[in-house]
Structures are given as C-alpha cells and as structure tokens.
Amino acid sequence: MIEDADRVAAVAAAVEDARYRRVIPCLDVTDGRVVKGIEFVNLRDAGDPVELAAFYNQEGADELVFLDITATTDSRSTMVDLVARTADRVFIPLTVGGGVRSVADMRELLIAGADKVSINTAAIANPELIDAGVETFGQQCIVIAIDARREPERGGWGVYTHGGRRAAGLDAVKWAVEAARRGAGEILLTSMDRDGTKDGYDLALLEAVAAAVPTPVIASGGAGTLDHLVDGLAPGRADAVLAASIFHFGEYRIIDAKHHLAARGIPMRMDQQ
Amino acid sequence: MSGRVAVIDYGAGNLRSMCRALTTIGVDPVVTTSPATVAMACAVVLPGVGAAGASMTRMKELGLTAALRTAIAEGTPFLGVCLGMQLLFGHQDEGNVEGLGVLPGRVRRLSPGVKIPQIGWNRVRLVEAGPLGHAGDDHDAYFVHSFIAEGVDPADIAGLTRYGEVFPSIVMRESVWGVQFHPEKSGDWGLELLRTWGALIHARHAAPVAAASA
C-alpha cells in the first residue's frame, strides 16, 4: 500500500542512530562471592553477585561483567552456577571472564546464560583459541581482555598477565590488532598503570587501540570520578566504560553516572531512569 | 494457557536466557528440535543464534522448516528473534541460502562505514500505533547482528532502527512477529514486548472457545 510505504519512509527519515555508549559495572568474584561488597546498598546479601547484578540492572547498567579472579578449576563450577542464577533474574547482557582456557569452557559459560566470554591469558598462549571461539559461537560472544602497561623502551604499551606481574612480551596495540583480525567482537582494555589509582583511564592507550582496531573498545582501569568516564568516552576513545570501585564503594550510583554523561552530550540509554 | 511454547534449538546457542524470559512472563517454554513438538505447540519462538546457512541446513535435516511453515500457515503465534527474524525472509546473503520465505524480503550484510557487528543498545521507533504502543514511540533494545532485512513489505514493518542505515527492527504480519534485537536481553521493555507477544497465545485460545459457546 502507498500509505504504508509513505509512513515507513517518513519514520525512516526521522529515526536516528542512538550511538549509545555503555556503562558497565564489573564484579570481581572469588568462590562465588563479590570481592568488594557494597556496604551502602540495602541488599539481602551484599556479597552475593546475583543480588548485586539485579541491583545494577535496576540502576540502569547497560551490561554486566563478572570476573572470576581466582579462576581455579574448583571455582569454575561455582562460576557456572552463579552465571545460571544471574541469567534467571537479570535480562541484560552478561560477560564472564577469568580462567577461560578452551572452547569447552566457553560453551559451559554460554550455555549457563553468559552472553559473552572474556579471554585473556589463554588467548595470548594460544591465539587460535580466538578463531575457534569465533567460529563456534560468533564474534559477538568473544571479548579479548588485554592488560596493558606502559613500556617506555617499547615506545608504547606491553601486554601483561597474572594481574600485571608477568610480561607477555607483546605490544598491546599490535596484540589488539591481531585479536580483532582473528574476529574478537570487543577489546576489554585495562591499563595496569592506572588500575586502582583513581587517576582516570590511560587516554593515550585508549586512543592508540581505538585508532588501530575496527572493534569496540571497553575502557578499564583508573576511573575515579564521573568526569573520568566522560574522558574515556570522548570521540576516538572507548565505546564503553567499565568501572568497579567507584560503584561498589557507593561513591557514585550508575544512574548518576549516566545522567552526568548524558548532560555532557554522551548518548546514554535512559529507558529505565 | 493450553500447550507449551516451542523454542527451536538449531545449534550451539544460549537458549537459557530466552527460556527464562518466557518463564518470567508466564509462558511455559520447551526447547525442541522436533517437528512433532512444533506441531503441538501453542506458539513458536525461533531464537537468534548461529549463521543463516548452517541453521537452514540443520533445520531442513530435522524436518523443522516444513513444520515451521505449517505452524505459521495455521496462525500459530510465532516470534523470530535476531537470526530467527531474518530467516522469515527469502534470500540470505550469509551462506547464500533461502530462508523460510514466510515474509517478502531478503537479508544482507550491514553496509560498511559502521562497526560490524552492531553490538549494543540502540533505539527502536514504532512506525504505527499497535500492540506495542503509539506511532513514533521510542524504545531501547539490545542488538547483536551483522545482517539486516531489506525489501520488506512496508505493511509488515512495525519498528525501525538506524545503525548507519535504517533497517526494520520489528516486523509483524498477523501472528508472525520478528525482532532484530534481543528482547530477552533488552531489560524491562524487552520483557514487556515478550508479554505483549505472549498475549497473542491467550487471544488465539480464547477466540475458538467463545465461538463454540455462541
């Protein structure tokens, strides 16, 4: 019908790309418990990642990341159970990382209800693991986490493993390019220099990687204020900001962060607020 | 409600979230690869995982393509999600295969100039007043896709989204719905959309009873 076509054309001309940037709280988990529990929230059990995930969802988090910081074989079944219980209650995307070493590990977490898996050390040891994950589950499922530290002698950043203690002998930007070439859907980029400092993200690192890969980049490490989130999401930097302590310790609420970002012209999904 | 909602399993994918979302809105999902289960189901969800070529091959092997076409022809409420929506159309560039061909249109890769796949939240604008709201209403939904439908009958388009270019993000023809995004990952509005779709099941089962008693 002509009227249908006209109506669709009129809406099509007016609808805009939202270009939303994402705010992603990260929960560090060990033995099924949140490492740094929130004290301020009136949760039944502030150490329960499921409770916290549900709370963050309510607060407008765009996605959630669970990071298993012990990542032992024993903790795997605990994590799988945790992911399943979260997926039962929280209907926003969930990324799970920490100790993912094989396609079988990925499958277990994805079937339990994770939407994406984050791979770090295992991909450095065996880059084909990225291809295998992409081939099996699609690139949207595969996040490559890169822990980077400034190496002046390199004239850039090196890749580190084991919580930033061990140098992998790779250039961070080159490794990001290789991960993207192998099909990684996103790069979760943590500055080990800034992690825990609250001095803000390493913006030069974000710019270097964002300019080198066509893949979305998630900024991590160093967020201490809401303006740091604004800086990380400026054009040419990250597509999403990950933060842990500024939310966990109750300094800021996610809802406040999103209002702050939106007020500075960064497109935010405000559906729930 | 009589019967269960068949959630089609055609490969390695995460069906748990979809099933939990369906349970949350009060319908009873059953994950299946069986044409017989599809035939008995009160509604069908074709979820969004995998690649078009491999998925069509697998569904043919299982006898599911015929079962799905029959269910749709009989008016069984149907929801295609992401790839499941794309398979409602004809030619699929991915894998160079034919989809179910239930709705006119074809599926091609997003045009260059944007990061592909689109992964993330984007806006859905309703094209006309209907079960989901008023014309011009905006909602946010979570997208994960590299392909879009084109050449769709304008009468079937219920929602549009722009990612570089504009594409149909919701299609509806009677009891056949398709959404390019993931309602099971789109927070409260995603659940509301599923609930609205789920009402088709109740409506369909209520109608014959009323007719019989008249």
Side-chain angles (χ1 to χ4, degrees):
Chain A
M1 302 291 274
I2 301 293
E3 308 92 81
D4 289 327
D6 288 350
R7 193 177 56 240
V8 169
V11 173
V15 68
E16 289 173 3
D17 190 336
R19 297 180 190 278
Y20 290 129
R21 298 295 183 256
R22 293 168 281 158
V23 176
I24 307 174
C26 176
L27 281 65
D28 289 344
V29 174
T30 181
D31 296 328
R33 305 285 294 172
V34 178
V35 177
K36 309 160 190 168
I38 297 191
E39 316 259 319
F40 76 107
V41 188
N42 187 23
L43 297 175
R44 250 186 317 143
D45 177 358
D48 181 1
V50 181
E51 290 284 323
L52 199 46
F55 171 74
Y56 280 146
N57 173 39
Q58 222 172 25
E59 289 274 297
D62 296 307
E63 300 188 24
L64 296 167
V65 171
F66 282 178
L67 210 53
D68 182 356
I69 60 167
T70 43
T72 60
T73 313
D74 283 352
S75 66
R76 172 150 312 284
S77 59
T78 311
M79 197 61 172
V80 168
D81 171 64
L82 179 62
V83 169
R85 288 192 295 123
T86 305
D88 284 351
R89 283 183 51 189
V90 179
F91 298 103
I92 58 173
L94 173 64
T95 301
V96 182
V100 176
R101 294 186 182 87
S102 65
V103 168
D105 288 348
M106 297 179 207
R107 179 176 286 116
E108 196 176 20
L109 290 167
L110 293 170
I111 286 175
D115 298 283
K116 313 175 193 181
V117 289
S118 169
I119 313 166
N120 189 336
T121 309
I124 293 167
N126 172 25
E128 285 79 24
L129 186 59
I130 304 173
D131 307 63
V134 169
E135 170 88 1
T136 312
F137 307 110
Q139 63 185 140
Q140 77 286 345
C141 286
I142 308 300
V143 178
I144 295 302
I146 300 177
D147 292 344
R149 190 184 283 286
R150 277 179 190 270
E151 289 183 346
E153 64 279 13
R154 193 186 279 283
W157 297 264
V159 177
Y160 282 73
T161 60
H162 299 80
R165 295 190 303 277
R166 197 177 296 178
L170 293 170
D171 178 87
V173 176
K174 285 185 186 151
W175 172 231
V177 169
E178 180 175 354
R181 184 179 57 74
R182 290 178 182 274
E186 288 177 287
I187 306 287
L188 169 50
L189 184 61
T190 302
S191 162
M192 300 311 291
D193 301 303
R194 296 299 179 89
D195 203 28
T197 65
K198 302 202 165 199
D199 288 340
Y201 298 111
D202 185 339
L203 301 178
L205 172 65
L206 291 178
E207 286 170 7
V209 172
V213 298
T215 314
V217 174
I218 305 167
S220 162
T225 69
L226 297 185
D227 281 329
H228 290 155
L229 306 184
V230 176
D231 294 340
L233 292 171
R237 294 175 185 160
D239 298 90
V241 282
L242 185 105
S245 51
I246 66 165
F247 298 131
H248 295 341
F249 295 129
E251 288 165 59
Y252 302 100
R253 290 174 59 181
I254 289 172
I255 199 169
D256 299 332
K258 294 185 80 171
H259 280 296
H260 185 88
L261 289 160
R264 278 146 193 83
I266 296 171
M268 285 283 123
R269 176 184 73 105
M270 306 300 279
D271 230 16
Q272 297 189 305
Q273 283 85 62
Chain B
M1 180 185 314
S2 62
R4 304 180 77 182
V5 175
V7 178
I8 308 299
D9 179 10
Y10 52 89
N14 168 19
L15 303 179
R16 186 186 180 99
S17 298
M18 177 54 79
C19 289
R20 289 305 304 182
L22 291 170
T23 305
T24 300
I25 62 148
V27 305
D28 185 16
V30 54
V31 172
T32 186
T33 56
S34 154
T37 304
V38 171
M40 283 164 50
C42 66
V44 177
V45 175
L46 188 61
V49 285
S55 300
M56 284 306 293
T57 305
R58 172 119 179 94
M59 287 205 294
K60 270 182 207 150
E61 284 167 3
L62 293 166
L64 280 168
T65 50
L68 292 176
R69 283 199 190 93
T70 303
I72 289 169
E74 287 173 351
T76 305
F78 183 98
L79 177 65
V81 172
C82 195
L83 175 61
M85 163 187 166
Q86 293 170 359
L87 294 179
L88 287 168
F89 300 102
H91 186 79
Q92 314 275 317
D93 280 2
E94 204 288 317
N96 193 26
V97 294
E98 288 302 309
L100 294 169
V102 171
L103 300 179
R106 64 199 301 279
V107 176
R108 66 159 169 85
R109 200 173 168 81
L110 277 159
S111 302
V114 291
K115 290 180 181 181
I116 297 174
Q118 170 172 218
I119 303 176
W121 295 86
N122 204 341
R123 187 174 297 144
V124 176
R125 180 162 296 175
L126 301 185
V127 171
E128 58 178 331
L132 293 174
H134 303 96
D137 283 359
D138 284 333
H139 292 283
D140 294 328
Y142 189 77
F143 289 82
V144 179
H145 65 123
S146 301
F147 291 81
I148 56 170
E150 69 171 7
V152 177
D153 184 339
D156 294 338
I157 298 176
L160 289 169
T161 295
R162 182 183 295 274
Y163 184 62
E165 61 195 310
V166 176
F167 62 89
S169 46
I170 307 175
V171 292
M172 283 184 194
R173 180 179 283 195
E174 294 162 8
S175 58
V176 179
W177 290 25
V179 291
Q180 182 57 72
F181 49 87
H182 289 267
E184 78 281 15
K185 287 290 160 185
S186 295
D188 290 343
W189 183 65
L191 293 178
E192 192 185 313
L193 182 143
L194 289 174
R195 207 172 276 122
T196 307
W197 174 78
L200 297 177
I201 305 170
H202 300 277
R204 183 161 186 260
H205 287 278
V209 174
S213 62

